[in-house]
Amino acid sequence: MRDLTDDTITAAVLSTMRDTKDPRLAEILRALVRHVHDFVRETGLTEQEWARGVDHLTRTGQTCTPTRQEFILLSDVLGVTMLVDAIGHRRSAGATQNSVLGPFFRDDRPYLHDGADISRGLSGTLLFFEGRVTDHHGTQVTDAQVDVWHSNADGHYDVDVPDLSEPAMRALLRTDGQGRFRFRSIRPASYPIPDDGPVGEMMRATGRSVMRPAHVHLRIVAPGFQDVTTTLFPSDDPYLDHDPVFGVKQSLVAAYQDHAAGAGPYGTTTDEPYILLRHTFVLEPASPTPGPRPV
Ligand code: BEZ
Ligand code: FE
């Protein structure tokens, strides 16, 4: 391994990895080396450009804190998060598709009853949500755990709303005997992804929008079914076709129906106009666990 050239160095690096014990690790590392070397050759990367890239990645790491993950954000805006998701969760036609989990999920959310007001009194346009969880045949999935979380009318999640002493606009609910879950809250707004760090710099350098279309996040977990981490977007949002993290799918775009004050859904009454959002979530059966080989 001497006198390596730009033509021979890739094979030399690959040959140093031949004793890797884990075959999957070997496959991933070999592909990584091949692709990174090809990228350097294809672009004719200069030393200054290489140093700038190293600096960018260094600052990406330095921007991470226990509550901010700039590397995942980088993966999101490069489309890698949704690509990994697409490969790992190929859903059949009609099943609810996944979208980006995002950084605002919290596991200290309150477990609330059917029909609860999850806004905790924050102001905004009243929103009623009626969800149903079924399997492929339309049969209800009962006792599924449904996490919901969303932003306020200014595009802020509870963690970024000053003076909030408890979680708001988020809850853990359970489907009832008919597979339904219901809550009321306030209409979420579009908001920018965190753009005051290295990812924001890259977005500005490439002239990209940092605005996510408004959305409600949901995560549904039920025994015997694949978990679903998804998002519903209103059909009138101006940012649907420019989502910086590539999470919009047509099947997740839902009409927010406007209603006048008066009778609300499921026997409620309201003295203010409201939006009604209804959606059915279709779960895929969990992949069968491979059993012992027949002898
Ligand atoms: C979100 O929807 O909460 C989100 C997703 C990816 C990056 C930033 C925010
Ligand atoms: Fe979000």
Side-chain angles (χ1 to χ4, degrees), residues 116-123 150 164 167-170 184-186:
D117 179 359
I118 72 165
S119 74
R120 305 271 169 155
L122 291 174
S123 58
H150 66 81
L164 259 188
M169 303 171 293
R170 66 176 74 240
R184 59 191 283 175
S185 192
I186 52 173

Side-chain angles (χ1 to χ4, degrees), residues 104 149 157 191 212 215 217:
F104 296 108
W149 67 106
Y157 284 81
Y191 61 84
R212 286 220 75 195
H215 54 271
H217 293 273

Side-chain angles (χ1 to χ4, degrees), residues 28-267:
I28 290 170
L29 288 177
R30 288 175 66 83
L32 181 71
V33 168
R34 276 192 283 105
H35 287 280
V36 172
H37 283 213
D38 283 346
F39 159 77
V40 172
R41 273 187 284 265
E42 180 188 317
T43 57
L45 202 71
T46 67
E47 275 177 39
Q48 289 81 358
E49 289 160 346
W50 172 84
R52 194 167 161 193
V54 169
D55 174 61
H56 197 269
L57 291 177
T58 304
R59 288 185 297 110
T60 298
Q62 287 165 343
T63 306
C64 295
T65 68
T67 56
R68 177 159 178 179
Q69 233 302 353
E70 194 78 356
F71 267 116
I72 294 184
L73 190 62
L74 182 61
S75 160
D76 294 344
V77 301
L78 292 177
V80 176
T81 308
M82 283 309 293
L83 177 58
V84 171
D85 182 77
I87 293 167
H89 302 281
R90 294 194 197 282
R91 299 260 151 85
S92 42
T96 297
Q97 293 181 289
N98 269 11
S99 190
V100 181
L101 174 70
F104 296 108
F105 173 78
R106 286 169 66 174
D107 53 15
D108 63 344
R109 72 290 196 212
Y111 173 47
L112 296 181
H113 61 85
D114 184 38
D117 179 359
I118 72 165
S119 74
R120 305 271 169 155
L122 291 174
S123 58
T125 306
L126 178 60
L127 169 89
F128 282 100
F129 192 109
E130 282 189 286
R132 187 154 187 266
V133 182
T134 74
D135 67 10
H136 268 305
H137 308 289
T139 306
Q140 67 270 19
V141 175
T142 61
D143 217 25
Q145 282 193 13
V146 183
D147 258 294
V148 298
W149 67 106
H150 66 81
S151 74
N152 69 7
D154 300 325
H156 292 115
Y157 284 81
D158 54 1
V159 284
D160 293 323
V161 176
D163 304 326
L164 259 188
S165 56
E166 54 185 358
M169 303 171 293
R170 66 176 74 240
L172 175 63
L173 305 162
R174 265 182 204 281
T175 56
D176 66 12
Q178 293 166 60
R180 291 175 314 188
F181 65 95
R182 303 176 290 200
F183 64 90
R184 59 191 283 175
S185 192
I186 52 173
R187 184 182 177 135
S190 32
Y191 61 84
I193 58 167
D195 65 346
D196 57 346
V199 169
E201 265 169 46
M202 198 190 80
M203 298 299 278
R204 280 183 290 283
T206 50
R208 287 174 60 183
S209 164
V210 292
M211 294 299 291
R212 286 220 75 195
H215 54 271
V216 177
H217 293 273
L218 300 109
R219 182 167 163 73
I220 304 176
V221 176
F225 294 93
Q226 294 176 26
D227 298 354
V228 170
T229 300
T230 193
T231 307
L232 289 183
F233 304 90
S235 52
D236 59 355
D237 194 285
Y239 300 109
L240 282 176
D241 291 317
H242 309 281
D243 182 14
V245 301
F246 307 100
V248 179
K249 292 172 177 172
Q250 188 53 39
S251 65
L252 303 178
V253 176
Y256 283 32
Q257 305 161 24
D258 288 309
H259 289 266
Y266 47 90

